[in-house]
Amino acid sequence: MNDIYLYNTLSRKKEKFIPIEEGKAGMYCCGPTVYNYAHIGNLRAYFFEDILKRILLYNGLQVKHVMNITDVGHLVSDADEGEDKMEKGARREGKTVWQIAEYFADEFMKDIKLLNILPPTLWCKATEHIEEQIKLIKCLEEKGFTYVTSDGVYYDTSKFRNYGELGRIDIEGLEEGKRISFSEEKRNKTDFSLWKFSPANRKRQMEWDSPWGKGFPGWHLECSAMSMKYLGDNFDIHCGGVDHIPVHHTNEIAQSEACTGRKFVNYWLHCEFLLEDKGKMSKSAGEFLKLKSLLDHGYSPLDFRYFLMMTHYRKKIMFSFDALDSARNGYRNLREKISEIKSKVTEKDIINDTNIRFFGRKFTDCINDDLNITEAVAVLWETIKDTNLNASEKLNLLTDFDKVLGLEFNTIPAGEVEYEIPDEIKLLAEKRKIAKSEKNYVRADELRRLINGKGYEIMDTKTGYEIKKIRNSI
RNA sequence: GGCGUCGUACCCAAGUGGCUUAAGGGAGCAGUCUGCAAAACUGUUAUGCAUCGGUUCGAAUCCGAUCGACGCCUCCA
């Protein structure tokens, strides 16, 4: 097996990936909070995770990929009066929180399917793991990491050695922060809730009994509880967006390791943001771009997928429609080249293993170097343009590369599809051919315009002409 | 205020000490072909990697300063 190097946020270095169990990889990805649609920035993270997973698979590892659905209990703000996002979303849509959760989880799954993101091995919902979460709090309570305030059960971060190691958090610096609201009852700036009590004056739609009182789990708990349940106390990879580093993942580590006394996760991988000209894309600002918004503008999901491949996952991407246009053009050109290659494949082609191995090696070297997908795409283009490889060798390689890229090369038809051209268009083309042979170019050009107007393109060749549907997508 | 990231051609972007006097894509331009186009093919667009210093036999790559952009410190991918 080839070595895979991954950038570990814990060490801030690229490290060789050594799985806990040989030949296998356990991977947990923080999934969506299903109170609204995913925006295209959210989707970038799932795309990144997909590439990571595909690379592990490509290298022959058996991957167990777990993704959670957060369908409960994140407060809108840190302040006590905050209403949680789920309940807020439900009120906005005039539905129950359960309906909201189901609807948006479903929409999310549709989005990732459109983006050709492989589904996780296992989905898990926060509301279906309340028992596991309570058990984890009990464990922390027994070990003396918790305290109870008027609004919930809290985690005492001062008790945990190395708190904030992942984010290299300067807790002193935080004290000087201006924008942080500080609950009087919290013992430390960084303490966070494990269990929140339901407000006395209002019944929540989602609440459960617990040894400490009726309420709902804190926002970091579910990921600790569920990841350990399905992947074990110590597992290989945990990923998410960079925003999770300082709080969410930091707290997950604190909770999990305090309870088990073991190292929680070996490799932490984080994906950078997608930005707009206004700055970071966010839902709270109101309007935001969804995958559907892009489709409404006439882009295909894979245009967007290709767009995401133009930048390394640890770099910010500036989204603009100009940039998306350039990606779409690139992806269309790519498909046309592949279509052409497919039409050139013959049974007489001899497959030369040395040729194949050279490009295959190059490709693997890129992807295994911390997911250098951008350079891998360059290798893809080199392969397409290479003059020594024959069509079969190229197709062989491209099909292989697509296991990682996920650009659906398999759906691309070989060359022109004759029968898709309507008789009407064929007739016009024949008329034009006659006009041309009579050197009646005015008439010929007129007919060409007519054909164009009907959505087809005519191209002269040495022997005659070719008709092609004007591309929206091949 | 604290922490951190980044600045490579018209645009996106790889490369992080010699293999590169800088991949790949988009866009443009020129040529071949064509009645003219389109497509295709070929060539072309950074002696330079924000700026200024320094280290080194050698730097886009290391160090320092300056300027600029952005992110985090608050739920967030």
Side-chain angles (χ1 to χ4, degrees), chain A residues 82-321:
Chain A
E83 186 181 15
D84 88 41
K85 285 179 176 176
M86 292 299 303
E87 304 238 347
K88 195 178 170 189
R91 185 179 304 167
R92 188 188 62 226
E93 308 280 333
K95 292 181 178 150
T96 70
V97 285
W98 301 94
Q99 286 170 326
I100 287 293
E102 196 186 341
Y103 176 77
F104 286 114
D106 203 48
E107 288 299 307
F108 174 75
M109 288 180 196
K110 281 185 199 160
D111 278 356
I112 65 166
K113 190 173 181 198
L114 282 171
L115 286 172
N116 202 21
I117 290 170
L118 301 172
T121 318
L122 189 88
W123 293 103
C124 51
K125 288 185 180 170
T127 54
E128 289 169 5
H129 296 79
I130 299 295
E131 209 176 297
E132 286 84 350
Q133 297 182 65
I134 289 174
K135 224 167 94 188
L136 183 54
I137 303 174
K138 275 189 192 157
C139 174
L140 292 168
E141 188 176 44
E142 279 163 24
K143 300 199 174 183
F145 285 93
T146 67
Y147 61 94
V148 178
T149 71
S150 58
D151 69 326
V153 181
Y154 279 80
Y155 184 103
D156 186 341
T157 53
S158 68
K159 299 259 171 75
F160 184 69
R161 186 177 50 83
N162 285 342
Y163 179 81
E165 185 192 11
L166 180 72
R168 313 235 158 137
I169 295 171
D170 171 15
I171 296 169
E172 295 298 313
L174 291 184
E175 298 288 349
E176 293 168 28
K178 296 170 186 168
R179 297 187 293 167
I180 300 164
S181 58
F182 188 62
S183 160
E184 288 298 312
E185 291 180 82
K186 278 212 270 185
R187 292 185 190 165
N188 307 287
K189 179 71 250 144
T190 46
D191 290 357
F192 56 93
S193 63
L194 296 165
W195 189 264
K196 276 274 200 179
F197 302 138
S198 293
N201 54 343
R202 184 159 46 86
K203 180 161 170 52
R204 285 173 52 90
Q205 292 188 43
M206 282 182 172
E207 56 184 13
W208 294 266
D209 286 324
S210 84
W212 309 276
K214 191 167 279 193
F216 55 101
W219 12 287
H220 312 296
L221 199 60
E222 60 177 76
C223 287
S224 287
M226 297 194 288
S227 61
M228 290 197 289
K229 172 172 179 177
Y230 294 111
L231 296 166
D233 291 352
N234 168 238
F235 59 91
D236 297 303
I237 300 171
H238 194 131
C239 33
V242 284
D243 52 325
H244 281 157
I245 299 170
V247 181
H248 185 58
H249 288 165
T250 290
N251 292 345
E252 275 187 55
I253 292 172
Q255 288 168 340
S256 309
E257 298 193 354
C259 176
T260 65
R262 299 181 61 191
K263 187 176 187 183
F264 178 43
V265 169
N266 292 354
Y267 301 87
W268 287 93
L269 273 73
H270 295 95
C271 170
E272 254 297 352
F273 284 132
L274 177 146
L275 308 171
E276 303 178 278
D277 44 6
K278 298 164 220 147
K280 193 179 90 180
M281 187 164 289
S282 74
K283 288 179 192 169
S284 44
E287 280 300 297
F288 58 89
L289 281 172
K290 310 183 256 286
L291 181 59
K292 190 174 177 303
S293 323
L294 304 186
L295 304 187
D296 290 345
H297 277 86
Y299 299 92
S300 79
L302 295 184
D303 290 338
F304 181 59
R305 189 175 170 101
Y306 189 75
F307 166 82
L308 292 173
M309 289 186 186
M310 300 204 303
T311 310
H312 186 82
Y313 78 92
R314 281 192 284 116
K315 279 201 162 181
K316 297 171 182 78
I317 295 183
M318 183 64 79
F319 178 84
S320 70
F321 280 101

Side-chain angles (χ1 to χ4, degrees), chain A residues 370-389:
Chain A
D370 192 35
L371 287 67
N372 196 338
I373 208 71
T374 316
E375 208 170 346
V377 170
V379 174
L380 172 76
W381 280 100
E382 274 175 40
T383 305
I384 287 170
K385 290 188 167 178
D386 190 80
T387 47
N388 294 317
L389 293 169

Side-chain angles (χ1 to χ4, degrees), chain A residues 116 302 305-306 309 331 334-335 402 405-409:
Chain A
N116 202 21
L302 295 184
R305 189 175 170 101
Y306 189 75
M309 289 186 186
Y331 183 52
L334 183 62
R335 287 178 70 92
D402 200 40
L405 305 176
L407 290 170
E408 296 190 337
F409 294 164

